[in-house]
Amino acid sequence: MQKFELLPLLQDHQTFFQNSSDLIPRISLPYFIGGRGITFISGPIHAGKTSLLRQIASNLQGAKIYIDFEDNRIQGSGPESFQVIEEIAEEICKKEPEKNEAGQIYYFLDEVQKVPGWESWVDGLYRQGAGIFITSSSSNLNGGEFSSRFADECKVLKLLPFSFKEYLLLKGARIPKPNFLTPSRCDEMLCMFLQYFENGGFPAVIKNGDIRFAQKYFEEILQKGSASGYGIQDASGLKKLAIFLISNMALEYSFDTLKKVSGIEDEEIIRHYMDYLEDIFLLYRVPKLNHLPDSEGKMDIPCKIYSGDTGFFKAVYPNYPDNLGLRFENLVFLEMLRREKQIFYFQGQRECDFLIKESDSQKVSAAIQVSIYFGSPASREREIMGLMEVMEEYGLEEGLILTMDDEETLEFEGKDGKKQIIVKSVWRWMLE
């Protein structure tokens, strides 16, 4: 594109970007306030990546250039536009010298990977000393080329839909300290948590109380995949596959079942489509930790599927019987993902919903059960016995059971000493 074509577009982008009056602070922000370097922010569409860029920009001193490469007016531009963009950025800086006394410039680039040759351009900006913030709705830019090329210079953040804390901020509520709550404040937090649990964490869904936004996002995600270079040939099969997996969140799957529901006979195509659904944050796969080879000696690790947002459940299949327990488990999974945990599940004589490994260790550090019906004697026994088994298996002194609103501490004598199980309401845990 020529300069006379790009200039009014970039001016429009700057006007939009400078409006930060309605921003909800994201809990992840403090880690990224800083100067030079490259910051890569990936996450599902409409989760708030652009708003996070605006929030980051409001805390930085220097010239700030924002470009939305999803703008239809820019799409189709080639690498030759990058030099023109730098010329325009320089002119913008000269017009507003008071904003750039230190001579520092920051680029905020939404979905820049849509333009061929973007890697070399970003590398050039970095070498010039610019601060660069990049967003993408894919976790795997160019098959990992981005990660390998900028591994030493890049900070990475996965931004998910709103957490419960961020939900409270959006609703204008103060985030309380979980251990200093009056009974009436506890009731208030439980009521707000139930609303959050029902609708999920997409900002527009929360603001409008309308789950149809999640339906729109689901369709948009699949359409983009079919139109992209990801090699999606069977759009109908992809959609059937995604709907089935979301409707059966927190459960294992078999390829025979996936073939049947999607109409796709080739197992490798199903694997490829599932890779895509995970790459765009629609689904996540959690592996079984204590897996064994099958009868033929293969190590195809069993997995559970979790949805990228609990709001997708009602949005994509409103007439499907709602399993509150599985949706509750999915919500806990997403919170652990925000906390950057390595997540697995366990299945022995009993089952444990989640085993946690810290990012810098291969040792199991925590075991968590999730139970929305903990008051039921059968449910109580199942959750406690499953947790006790896995605590013995991995030498854990403490386990956690997350419930809707139950609180207690249980103790038992293990093989290597006393052990403790903490029963805690999930909303209180999310406030920690």
Side-chain angles (χ1 to χ4, degrees):
M1 296 181 71
Q2 300 298 313
K3 186 175 181 178
F4 74 89
E5 298 174 291
L6 271 174
L7 180 58
L9 303 187
L10 265 60
Q11 289 173 334
D12 286 349
H13 290 182
Q14 308 325 303
T15 301
F16 159 77
F17 193 65
Q18 290 165 7
N19 179 18
S20 58
S21 59
D22 60 343
L23 296 182
I24 301 300
R26 300 304 294 263
I27 305 302
S28 313
L29 175 60
Y31 174 72
F32 289 92
I33 298 177
R36 301 176 183 181
I38 303 170
T39 300
F40 174 49
I41 303 167
S42 65
I45 59 173
H46 304 293
K49 296 186 294 297
T50 302
S51 294
L52 180 58
L53 290 184
R54 291 160 65 195
Q55 185 183 345
I56 292 170
S58 69
N59 288 277
L60 296 173
Q61 297 298 318
K64 304 156 192 176
I65 306 298
Y66 169 74
I67 309 170
D68 178 10
F69 287 92
E70 285 211 297
D71 188 327
N72 292 330
R73 298 170 298 175
I74 284 185
Q75 288 184 9
S77 62
E80 67 280 357
S81 299
F82 292 137
Q83 181 60 43
V84 179
I85 289 172
E86 289 188 57
E87 293 173 6
I88 295 173
E90 186 176 347
E91 291 180 10
I92 292 175
C93 293
K94 289 180 179 178
K95 289 180 180 178
E96 301 177 334
E98 71 282 357
K99 294 183 180 181
N100 193 26
E101 294 178 359
Q104 179 63 51
I105 185 169
Y106 298 95
Y107 284 87
F108 300 86
L109 311 174
D110 258 337
E111 306 289 345
V112 67
Q113 78 280 359
K114 294 182 179 293
V115 181
W118 68 272
E119 301 98 325
S120 296
W121 181 53
V122 166
D123 188 46
L125 295 177
Y126 168 73
R127 296 183 186 284
Q128 293 171 29
I132 305 156
F133 297 85
I134 299 170
T135 73
S136 174
S137 299
S138 168
S139 64
N140 186 26
L141 294 184
N142 289 358
E145 181 180 340
F146 177 86
S147 299
S148 59
R149 183 164 186 170
F150 300 108
D152 296 331
E153 300 91 3
C154 184
K155 293 173 286 189
V156 178
L157 168 68
K158 283 187 171 63
L159 187 70
L160 302 183
F162 275 22
S163 67
F164 181 48
K165 286 182 180 179
E166 291 163 341
Y167 170 86
L168 293 176
L169 292 175
L170 190 151
K171 289 295 185 179
R174 180 176 55 85
I175 299 175
K177 294 181 179 179
N179 296 324
F180 298 92
L181 293 172
T182 63
S184 62
R185 189 79 163 120
C186 286
D187 291 342
E188 180 188 357
M189 286 297 102
L190 176 58
C191 288
M192 297 193 77
F193 170 77
L194 290 173
Q195 296 170 8
Y196 171 68
F197 175 47
E198 189 69 15
N199 293 320
F202 280 109
V205 175
I206 297 171
K207 287 180 181 178
N208 298 282
D210 191 344
I211 202 68
R212 288 177 295 181
F213 280 93
Q215 171 66 44
K216 175 184 174 184
Y217 299 161
F218 174 76
E219 297 290 346
E220 185 178 339
I221 287 169
L222 295 182
Q223 289 171 7
K224 284 187 175 183
S226 299
S228 71
Y230 212 91
I232 304 298
Q233 301 295 325
D234 186 352
S236 174
L238 175 70
K239 185 173 182 177
K240 290 176 183 177
L241 183 66
I243 289 175
F244 174 81
L245 292 170
I246 288 174
S247 302
N248 291 275
M249 62 176 69
L251 295 174
E252 290 183 343
Y253 60 87
S254 73
F255 280 102
D256 286 341
T257 300
L258 297 186
K259 289 177 183 179
K260 183 177 180 180
V261 298
S262 67
I264 302 172
E265 291 298 325
D266 191 326
E267 189 172 304
E268 287 306 310
I269 292 178
I270 292 178
R271 292 177 189 273
H272 176 63
Y273 284 10
M274 291 182 71
D275 287 344
Y276 165 70
L277 294 172
E278 190 164 20
D279 181 43
I280 57 173
F281 307 99
L282 189 63
L283 299 172
Y284 295 91
R285 285 172 285 194
V286 171
K288 184 177 178 181
L289 185 61
N290 58 326
H291 65 279
L292 297 172
D294 62 20
S295 58
E296 297 179 359
K298 296 180 180 179
M299 292 294 287
D300 197 358
I301 302 174
C303 292
K304 280 186 178 182
I305 290 290
Y306 291 93
S307 173
D309 186 74
T310 54
F312 280 135
F313 183 90
K314 288 189 174 181
V316 305
Y317 210 153
N319 297 321
Y320 197 82
D322 190 359
N323 190 317
L324 291 174
L326 297 182
R327 194 152 53 89
F328 192 62
E329 184 179 325
N330 202 126
L331 194 72
V332 171
F333 163 77
L334 291 173
E335 181 62 23
M336 289 191 292
L337 205 61
R338 291 185 188 95
R339 298 180 184 188
E340 299 183 336
K341 305 298 185 182
Q342 292 187 74
I343 308 169
F344 304 84
Y345 72 100
F346 174 90
Q347 201 164 41
Q349 292 183 343
R350 307 267 182 169
E351 183 174 338
C352 182
D353 296 324
F354 299 114
L355 294 181
I356 306 302
K357 291 183 178 181
E358 298 304 318
S359 56
D360 58 350
S361 171
Q362 290 304 306
K363 184 179 179 180
V364 174
S365 60
I368 301 174
Q369 293 279 52
V370 181
S371 178
I372 199 171
Y373 305 112
F374 193 66
S376 159
S379 176
R380 182 182 177 88
E381 179 183 1
R382 181 178 65 251
E383 305 300 349
I384 291 174
M385 296 302 291
L387 198 53
M388 289 173 62
E389 179 182 348
V390 81
M391 289 170 68
E392 294 284 10
E393 177 80 14
Y394 293 100
L396 299 173
E397 295 181 358
E398 184 177 288
L400 176 65
I401 299 177
L402 295 173
T403 70
M404 184 60 78
D405 204 32
D406 296 279
E407 305 269 347
E408 63 179 296
T409 299
L410 306 171
E411 293 185 349
F412 67 95
E413 194 70 34
K415 295 177 182 178
D416 53 354
K418 289 185 178 180
K419 297 182 183 293
Q420 190 175 71
I421 293 176
I422 306 297
V423 181
K424 184 180 295 187
S425 60
V426 70
W427 58 265
R428 195 184 296 273
W429 174 75
M430 287 184 168
L431 291 175
E432 292 175 350

